[in-house]
Amino acid sequence: MQYDVIVIGSGPGGYVAAIRCAQLGLKTAIVEKYNTLGGTCLNVGCIPSKALLDSSEHYHNAAHTFTTHGIKLENLGIDFGQMVKRKQEVVDANTSGISYLMKKNKIDTHFGVGSFKDKNTITVKKADGTETEITGKNVIIATGSKPSALPFLKIDKKRIITSTEALNLTEVPKHLVLIGGGVIGLELGSVYARLGAKVSVIEFMDGIIPTMDKALGKELQKVLTKLGMEFYLGHKVTGATVKGKDVTVTFDTPKGESKELKGDYCLVAVGRVAYTDGLGLDKIGITVEERGRKITVNDHLETSVKGVYAIGDVIKGAMLAHKAEDEGTLVAELIAGQKPHIDYNLIPGVVYTWPEVAAVGQTEEQLKAAGVKYKTGSFPFKASGRARASGDLDGFVKVLADATTDEILGVHMIGPRAADMIAEAVVAMEYRASAEDISRMSHAHPTYTEAMREACLAATENRAIHI
Ligand SMILES: Cc1cc2nc3c(=O)[nH]c(=O)nc-3n(C[C@H](O)[C@H](O)[C@H](O)COP(=O)(O)OP(=O)(O)OC[C@H]3O[C@@H](n4cnc5c(N)ncnc54)[C@H](O)[C@@H]3O)c2cc1C
């Protein structure tokens, strides 16, 4: 079986690369070691977490905000089994959708573990032990990532768990001890906090979502604290032990004192590492970075071996599904002889808590460090008519613009539907809009997007109308 392109891994990087290759007339195969397509994102990542976030948000609203809307409910309860079943149905619908897309685009799917025999030959080892060989003029590695572990803390997948198990629990934890205040941990932590669990977050850094603009982390912490989550910031986990159904997590305070928390589950969410096991990279001399074992690539996402590319979580950069997708498209178009480009500064980041957090471009801390002269405009949702109507008063939109040219350099928002609203900022920045440009454009009333316009007005000579 000879192909123009073989893609290893069917996550958002791999399947998008395969579809784009097929669209460009390249004979394409995709290799996947799991039984379903879609990778981490569709099976144990973006999609199942959002399904549980939506279900838990409905319950939380029914329990806490319906009465303010004049809606009375009796006998409200949680059928957690049904919640998880629905989540799985959402996953199944999405993964079978990818199978349909592979067939529609005439892409051959080979289930099994792919490994390099040489730079053009991939051996696919199926679950039953049988092997087939396929050859390709080009190979795209899109094997993704797996959860990181702490070297001193054994994940037993029952009581000490990763995000994968947290998406498949059979009960709502009573007390979830969450190690890590990053995106994945906080999303899953908020699911269980909404369903009634006590959630304690232990984070080594002095703020949550530490890679985002500091103002976002502070506001998110305030909101999640209102939800009942508790935070131990600047604390360092030293170990965890399981006894029966109890997990005891030990950690050091910033002053070096030792503390412990006892829960029934401990979720370790301390990031993810590139996954290259079994690929046989050393056989063909592909180099990986020492830290994180990420595959080294050049600006064209080509590895140290000509004709072998790598995309998504397995290479440098943000571990995000849409970044992987963009890279999949880029490599397919490069192979087809086009000259595509990705602006990594304009890849948005989102946290799907409620309110949602979303950002694109430079943070205030980055602009300060780079010595860029900037101005700020902020608008709080409590001054938005739309947010008052829905009762979503937490959060704000913050716009950072160049002090001289007024070009928008970064947009950071926490508020209702921020995940969708950030698209306006991406478009604006792609076209190098100024804050004044956005503030002169009509925004439908009443919508949450008016907060973006008001923040731009605030950045433009402090001209916000509603504050
Ligand atoms: C709980 C959670 C929530 C997340 N939520 C979001 C979100 O809301 N938004 C967002 O942008 N990102 C989110 N992410 C991150 C997102 O899932 C990843 O960035 C994305 O899946 C990376 O895509 P990828 O194609 O690089 O790899 P993956 O999706 O990891 O896919 C890699 C695939 O390669 C296969 N594979 C590996 N080795 C081999 C081999 N040798 N042979 C054959 N197949 C192989 C794997 O089985 C897997 O199917 C989340 C992640 C988690 C864990």
Side-chain angles (χ1 to χ4, degrees), residues 154 196 212 225 272 309 326 386 399:
K154 187 175 173 313
M212 298 184 95
T225 304
R272 296 179 64 84
Y309 300 83
D326 290 354
R386 182 70 190 89
V399 170

Side-chain angles (χ1 to χ4, degrees), residues 9 13 32-34 39-41 46 50 114 143-144 272 313 319-321:
E32 172 54 57
K33 74 184 173 87
Y34 289 138
T40 302
C41 175
C46 326
K50 265 79 261 177
T143 50
R272 296 179 64 84
D313 280 11
M319 287 183 159
L320 292 169

Side-chain angles (χ1 to χ4, degrees), residues 8-15 31-34 36-47 49-50 110 112-115 142-146 163-164 167 183-184 187-188 272 275-279 311-314 318-324 350 352:
I8 309 178
S10 70
Y15 82 74
V31 183
E32 172 54 57
K33 74 184 173 87
Y34 289 138
T36 53
L37 303 178
T40 302
C41 175
L42 270 63
N43 290 282
V44 289
C46 326
I47 298 300
S49 58
K50 265 79 261 177
H110 298 269
V113 177
S115 62
T143 50
S145 61
K146 63 172 182 181
S163 59
T164 304
L167 291 165
V183 179
I184 293 175
E187 287 185 6
L188 292 170
R272 296 179 64 84
Y275 186 80
T276 56
D277 296 4
L279 268 178
I311 57 172
D313 280 11
V314 81
M319 287 183 159
L320 292 169
H322 42 290
K323 178 253 192 192
V350 175
Y352 293 81

